[in-house]
């Protein structure tokens, strides 16, 4: 399986998880020339910008360990681009989902503090 296919499969697992927990999926793989967002979801009038982290193993840390301050800045930039493009005036949050090598959600952070 290619890295592209693995990432796509992990994002599908994450989207299904969100749907099962009452979120509406607004966008999958939203992209511009300068940024991207894996999943844009909505629940209770709040938009969630969801980073999906897949790890084939935890030998070098979990997927969520890879959400560094640099990654958070990229996520915030991407979220602001989406907000501006969609003219969204409501609340939004940055979120992350970790997917394991057997394609199961192992962790979900609904609101990452920036």
């Amino acid at each position: 399986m290619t890295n592209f296919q693995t990432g796509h499969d992990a994002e599908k697992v994450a989207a299904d998880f969100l749907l099962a927990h009452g979120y509406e999926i607004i966008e999958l793989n939203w992209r511009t020339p300068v940024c991207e967002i894996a999943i844009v979801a909505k629940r209770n009038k709040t938009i969630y910008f969801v980073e999906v982290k897949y790890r084939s193993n935890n030998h070098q840390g979990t997927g969520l360990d890879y959400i560094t301050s640099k990654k958070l800045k990229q996520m915030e930039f991407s979220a602001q681009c989406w907000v501006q493009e969609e003219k969204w005036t409501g609340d939004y949050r940055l979120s992350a989902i970790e997917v394991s090598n057997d394609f199961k959600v192992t962790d979900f952070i609904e609101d990452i503090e920036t």
Side-chain angles (χ1 to χ4, degrees):
M1 185 180 307
T2 66
N3 286 344
F4 176 80
Q5 186 62 48
T6 300
H8 178 76
D9 291 350
E11 289 168 356
K12 174 76 170 104
V13 167
D16 289 345
F17 174 87
L18 292 169
L19 286 168
H21 287 86
Y23 293 80
E24 173 189 356
I25 303 302
I26 306 297
E27 306 254 8
L28 286 173
N29 295 306
W30 181 84
R31 296 176 187 272
T32 74
V34 296
C35 64
E36 63 182 77
I37 300 168
I39 301 172
V40 180
K42 184 177 180 184
R43 188 172 118 191
N44 299 330
K45 300 180 182 176
T46 299
I47 293 291
Y48 294 85
F49 299 103
V50 184
E51 177 72 13
V52 178
K53 289 295 187 186
Y54 169 85
R55 299 296 293 160
S56 59
N57 62 60
N58 289 338
H59 296 270
Q60 296 179 336
T62 69
L64 297 183
D65 290 337
Y66 285 81
I67 299 182
T68 62
S69 60
K70 180 180 177 181
K71 183 61 178 175
L72 281 173
K73 287 177 186 172
Q74 291 172 339
M75 291 170 65
E76 182 65 34
F77 175 78
S78 299
Q80 289 173 0
C81 287
W82 187 92
V83 164
Q84 184 176 4
E85 184 173 295
E86 297 298 320
K87 297 177 178 41
W88 177 256
T89 59
D91 290 334
Y92 69 88
R93 294 188 170 76
L94 303 180
S95 302
I97 291 181
E98 180 180 86
V99 178
S100 65
N101 65 342
D102 58 351
F103 291 96
K104 298 204 181 335
V105 171
T106 55
D107 205 352
F108 173 48
I109 301 173
E110 186 177 51
D111 186 6
I112 298 173
E113 299 290 326
T114 55

